[in-house]
Amino acid sequence: MGVLTFKGGIHPQDGKSLSKDQPIMELLPKGELVYPISQHIGAPANPLVKKGDYVLKGQKIAEAGGYVSSPIYASVSGTVKAVEMRFNPTGTQVNSIVIENDGEYQEVEAQPVTSLEQLSREEIIEKISEAGVVGMGGAGFPTKVKISPKNPESIEYIIANGAECEPYITADYRRMLEYTDDIVSGMRVLLTLFPNAKGIFAVEDNKKDCANKIREAISGEARMEVKVLETKYPQGAERQLIYATTKRAIHAAKLPADAGCIVDNVETLIAIHNAVILGKPLVERVITVSGDNIKNPANYKVPLGISHSELVEASGGFLESPKKLISGGPMMGFAMVTLDAPVTKTSSALLAFKNDDVAAAKETACINCGRCVEVCPSRIIPSRLADLAQRHAEEGFVKMNGLECVECGSCSYVCPAKRNLKQAIGSMRKIALANRRK
């Protein structure tokens, strides 16, 4: 069977060779740890600690602020310095818990299980919820909500997202190679919740070594299979991934569960394994440090809350003064305003570049070439939608299916006029969605 894919998409230079062969290294923090109370979609968590409190690694320091929310745990032992406003990776100042690391790493005792069979469905979901597990591919949607659909019997596919289609990022690649059994264990946990589902490991064909490693690990697992995808951006986007693996299409008003699917990033599956099997909360993740301005690109397993400046220091620093710093991938990530921002649950990469090609580009008038239409995975007309957005024509924007945009940036990437199509559409989309909620 040939590789699977979707219509549209682009093939940017991937830059993965800088870090793909670098094994995951554990990095311990030197300075303070900062925990923004909102590291997920939904209500912010509510702090449980105050200045002067002593906490242990794995101790809950903020509880979920509602059903669509997620608790936060200390990733080190130490003393709470403050609960105050700090920058997060997206450049926003948010209320955060600051802990001074004592270097002792005294830990709350974990409660592992001997077998999944001893846990009920409700107990498994509660363990995942209490551990603070969220979507770690970037969205940060609380996993407990995702795995609690109205009709569990209607779920037919659990899709492990191993596409990692964003350029430069290799954290998931290394996870699939080095933590294969943990990923498979996380899938096994989810399949326990959905008796009619089959597990699919979706991996791009530039990661055949990962696909082979997972195939070997699931040998004998009748409910699991590997599906190889064409290497193309945005292959890892939820809607595109569902279509590529199942040929089921959903639109902006639908959830994956409406198509009988649940999609989880491979890092999330590891967090699920840790939560249910090992009894450990989410306190760490793997992050890639790369780009043409990093001396020694690498993949690190780090405690949540560590400063990005420590990641740069561990990688040998910058080759020269960077013109662009990005949290996440170059297509959908965020420009960083400070390296003092902490690593959060949704941090996948820190990228540093010698030049800022986007800022240097000069925007000109649309030439009606249609390239943005050809590559759009949502099959909409980005050039027209951007025009409507710039005129604040919300009604026309919605009528032309502007809400279907997944904000992947493929249109901006191919535009010969260097128009900021994604930014314009994304801004209007957020306004339209906010007005719809009202």
Side-chain angles (χ1 to χ4, degrees):
M1 185 175 69
V3 292
L4 307 171
T5 192
F6 60 95
K7 293 181 180 179
I10 58 176
H11 295 85
Q13 179 184 351
D14 70 9
K16 293 180 184 291
S17 61
L18 292 174
S19 60
K20 70 184 292 289
D21 296 325
Q22 300 301 318
I24 295 170
M25 296 185 291
E26 290 203 37
L27 182 61
L28 296 179
K30 298 178 180 178
E32 65 185 19
L33 286 294
V34 177
Y35 306 88
I37 62 171
S38 184
Q39 302 185 33
H40 49 265
I41 289 175
N46 297 318
L48 295 173
V49 294
K50 62 184 184 303
K51 183 178 179 180
D53 287 351
Y54 183 79
V55 299
L56 301 175
K57 178 182 178 182
Q59 178 178 329
K60 188 190 293 187
I61 56 175
E63 62 183 355
Y67 180 68
V68 184
S69 186
S70 185
I72 297 168
Y73 291 80
S75 56
V76 297
S77 58
T79 303
V80 177
K81 288 179 62 178
V83 180
E84 62 187 19
M85 303 298 284
R86 291 290 187 96
F87 278 108
N88 67 9
T90 66
T92 304
Q93 282 200 321
V94 296
N95 199 25
S96 304
I97 298 167
V98 184
I99 294 177
E100 185 66 45
N101 178 19
D102 65 5
E104 298 294 328
Y105 299 97
Q106 298 183 62
E107 193 168 356
V108 173
E109 185 177 352
Q111 300 294 325
V113 297
T114 54
S115 69
L116 271 176
E117 287 70 25
Q118 72 185 69
L119 299 174
S120 67
R121 172 186 173 80
E122 292 71 24
E123 287 173 330
I124 291 174
I125 293 175
E126 180 63 19
K127 280 180 172 288
I128 293 171
S129 172
E130 266 301 294
V133 181
V134 303
M136 299 175 73
F141 193 74
T143 301
K144 70 167 181 183
V145 181
K146 185 180 289 189
I147 61 176
S148 303
K150 292 181 180 179
N151 300 306
E153 298 80 12
S154 68
I155 301 300
E156 298 177 70
Y157 298 103
I158 308 295
I159 304 170
N161 186 353
E164 197 168 49
C165 59
E166 274 268 14
Y168 292 94
I169 308 178
T170 56
D172 286 351
Y173 171 77
R174 296 307 313 183
R175 277 294 208 185
M176 287 187 283
L177 282 181
E178 300 181 44
Y179 291 80
T180 317
D181 290 341
D182 291 355
I183 294 171
V184 173
S185 175
M187 175 66 80
R188 198 175 291 119
V189 170
L190 292 184
L191 290 176
T192 302
L193 302 177
F194 302 99
N196 299 326
K198 187 170 189 176
I200 296 174
F201 295 91
V203 185
E204 284 190 324
D205 62 357
N206 65 346
K207 307 175 186 68
K208 291 180 180 177
D209 46 355
C210 294
N212 291 335
K213 190 89 183 286
I214 295 172
R215 279 198 191 96
E216 182 180 340
I218 64 173
S219 177
E221 298 272 2
R223 297 176 62 194
M224 300 184 195
E225 68 173 317
V226 174
K227 288 195 175 184
V228 178
L229 314 175
E230 180 185 340
T231 299
K232 182 169 63 170
Y233 178 85
Q235 190 72 261
E238 201 167 56
R239 287 185 232 165
Q240 282 63 50
L241 192 68
I242 289 172
Y243 182 81
T245 54
T246 71
K247 298 308 175 189
R248 299 180 179 185
I250 58 173
H251 54 74
K254 297 286 186 179
L255 295 171
D258 295 318
C261 300
I262 287 177
V263 181
D264 273 315
N265 174 266
V266 293
E267 183 81 24
T268 307
L269 288 181
I270 292 173
I272 289 171
H273 160 79
N274 290 339
V276 178
I277 306 301
L278 303 184
K280 293 184 176 183
L282 176 55
V283 296
E284 63 186 18
R285 70 158 299 139
V286 172
I287 183 170
T288 297
V289 180
S290 190
D292 66 7
N293 200 28
I294 291 290
K295 187 174 182 180
N296 301 308
N299 299 290
Y300 298 109
K301 184 164 73 170
V302 300
L304 300 180
I306 190 174
S307 170
H308 281 82
S309 61
E310 292 195 36
L311 304 185
V312 174
E313 181 183 346
S315 295
F318 299 123
L319 294 174
E320 57 186 63
S321 180
K323 295 293 192 299
K324 190 79 168 186
L325 295 171
I326 298 175
S327 173
M331 299 300 296
M332 295 185 72
F334 298 89
M336 297 188 70
V337 298
T338 175
L339 284 172
D340 290 334
V343 171
T344 66
K345 296 179 183 182
T346 57
S347 300
S348 58
L350 167 63
L351 307 180
F353 296 101
K354 296 177 180 179
N355 299 301
D356 186 347
D357 295 334
V358 175
K362 293 184 179 180
E363 184 175 337
T364 58
C366 174
I367 60 173
N368 295 309
C369 65
R371 294 181 191 175
C372 60
V373 180
E374 290 176 3
V375 302
C376 178
S378 298
R379 318 314 294 155
I380 52 181
I381 307 176
S383 57
R384 297 292 177 263
L385 288 169
D387 290 340
L388 291 167
Q390 288 166 347
R391 297 201 302 270
H392 303 286
E394 182 179 337
E395 184 178 351
F397 179 88
V398 173
K399 283 184 177 179
M400 284 197 68
N401 298 314
L403 296 182
E404 294 300 317
C405 175
V406 296
E407 301 185 38
C408 66
S410 295
C411 53
S412 295
Y413 182 83
V414 300
C415 179
K418 306 301 181 186
R419 298 182 69 196
N420 292 321
L421 300 170
K422 181 244 184 181
Q423 290 84 347
I425 296 170
S427 295
M428 177 53 72
R429 184 172 176 271
K430 289 176 176 62
I431 292 170
L433 287 172
N435 290 336
R436 175 173 288 192
R437 285 191 291 270
K438 291 178 183 177

